[in-house]
């Protein structure tokens, strides 16, 4: 019996040594994401707002261009931007407002690397849950993290199949946000404004 118990303990220790740490999983995720640089990136974001309800957005990003579609109740907003210009379509007013893009147009250019930047930096990682198909990693804000706007806790779900992110959930100021349905492969057409798609809309140029 003692030998059996000793063998079981040895096997358990061996499996524990082989198990990947949360830091190793996230590092591998970063490596896999880098393989898709330049392909473009899309995702769904759900934001649960007090009283107002849930707002769902679909974003497409390619280089310095982005298109975001947001829907809440019976109103749809579509937002496009590139390095110099931003446009927003409001289904309620049936108007498209055109503005000069302010600030640093090169920052936040929609790359997947920038999108998930900081998911592990400034956070202490722990394995929250594991299934046959995914890891759920809890990212808790480290005491050394001086970023006041950084969420206190983030739940990152990573696929065991390809080490790519499946979802990211967090709560800030009572607002629950979930990013999911990450996908690679976005075309220029998907992120470029085409007035022919809105033939009846009034264009208001505010540049």
């Amino acid at each position: 019996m003692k030998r059996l118990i000793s063998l079981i303990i040895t096997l358990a220790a061996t499996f524990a040594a082989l198990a990947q740490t949360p830091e190793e999983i996230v590092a591998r995720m970063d490596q896999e994401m880098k393989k898709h640089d330049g392909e473009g990136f899309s995702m769904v974001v759900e934001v649960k707002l007090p009283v107002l309800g849930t707002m769902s957005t679909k974003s497409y990003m390619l280089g310095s261009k982005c298109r975001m579609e947001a829907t809440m109740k019976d109103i749809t907003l579509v937002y496009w931007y590139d390095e110099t210009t931003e446009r927003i379509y409001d289904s309620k007013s049936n108007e498209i407002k055109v503005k000069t893009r302010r600030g640093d147009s090169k920052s936040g250019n929609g790359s997947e690397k920038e999108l998930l930047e900081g998911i592990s930096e400034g956070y202490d990682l722990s394995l929250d849950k594991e299934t046959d198909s995914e890891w759920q990693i809890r990212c808790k804000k480290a005491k050394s993290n001086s970023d006041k706007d950084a969420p206190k806790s983030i739940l990152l779900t990573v696929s065991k199949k390809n080490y790519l992110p499946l979802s990211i959930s967090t709560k800030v100021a009572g607002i629950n946000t979930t990013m999911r349905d990450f996908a690679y492969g976005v075309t220029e057409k998907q992120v470029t404004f085409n007035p022919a798609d809105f033939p009846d809309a009034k264009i208001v140029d505010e540049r």
Side-chain angles (χ1 to χ4, degrees):
M1 177 64 74
K2 289 183 179 180
R3 289 183 179 180
L4 178 60
I5 293 175
S6 178
L7 177 60
I8 292 173
I9 292 174
T10 300
L11 290 173
T14 301
F15 277 115
L18 292 173
Q20 298 179 85
T21 66
E23 289 79 8
E24 290 172 334
I25 294 169
V26 172
R28 175 66 183 277
M29 181 189 78
D30 291 339
Q31 292 176 1
E32 294 302 316
M33 288 169 54
K34 287 178 181 178
K35 294 179 181 179
H36 297 277
D37 280 350
E39 295 180 12
F41 191 63
S42 64
M43 67 174 179
V44 171
V45 179
E46 288 185 347
V47 181
K48 293 184 178 179
L49 302 168
V51 181
L52 294 177
T54 300
M55 179 181 70
S56 177
T57 70
K58 177 78 174 186
S59 299
Y60 302 85
M61 293 154 279
L62 180 63
S64 61
K65 291 185 175 182
C66 174
R67 184 180 97 237
M68 180 184 299
E69 303 170 359
T71 302
M72 177 175 280
K73 296 181 179 179
D74 59 345
I75 299 176
T76 297
L77 301 177
V78 186
Y79 175 67
W80 300 261
Y81 72 71
D82 54 29
E83 291 184 347
T84 61
T85 309
E86 59 183 46
R87 298 173 174 84
I88 184 165
Y89 167 73
D90 183 340
S91 66
K92 187 175 183 180
S93 63
N94 197 30
E95 288 185 345
I96 299 171
K97 292 186 178 181
V98 186
K99 300 180 180 181
T100 299
R101 192 175 178 201
R102 305 294 182 184
D104 184 2
S105 62
K106 294 183 179 180
S107 65
N109 63 5
S111 73
E112 56 274 13
K113 182 178 179 181
E114 289 190 3
L115 177 68
L116 300 176
E117 185 179 4
I119 194 65
S120 60
E121 295 178 6
Y123 286 86
D124 297 322
L125 309 183
S126 62
L127 187 61
D128 194 73
K129 184 180 179 182
E130 181 178 357
T131 69
D132 291 339
S133 60
E134 63 187 40
W135 293 285
Q136 291 185 6
I137 298 172
R138 178 67 62 181
C139 310
K140 290 188 176 181
K141 187 177 180 181
K143 293 182 179 179
S144 58
N145 190 339
S146 59
D147 186 355
K148 295 181 180 180
D149 296 326
K152 293 182 179 179
S153 179
I154 299 171
L155 184 62
L156 168 66
T157 303
V158 181
S159 170
K160 283 188 173 181
K161 180 180 179 181
N162 53 23
Y163 283 87
L164 292 175
L166 294 175
S167 67
I168 300 171
S169 300
T170 189
K171 185 176 182 179
V172 178
I175 298 175
N176 292 290
T177 302
T178 298
M179 294 183 284
R180 57 175 175 81
D181 296 349
F182 303 108
Y184 292 93
V186 171
T187 65
E188 188 75 19
K189 182 178 180 180
Q190 288 178 298
V191 293
T192 302
F193 170 70
N194 183 5
D197 294 333
F198 304 87
D200 300 324
K202 179 183 178 181
I203 296 180
V204 181
D205 197 331
E206 298 180 350
R207 289 174 295 184

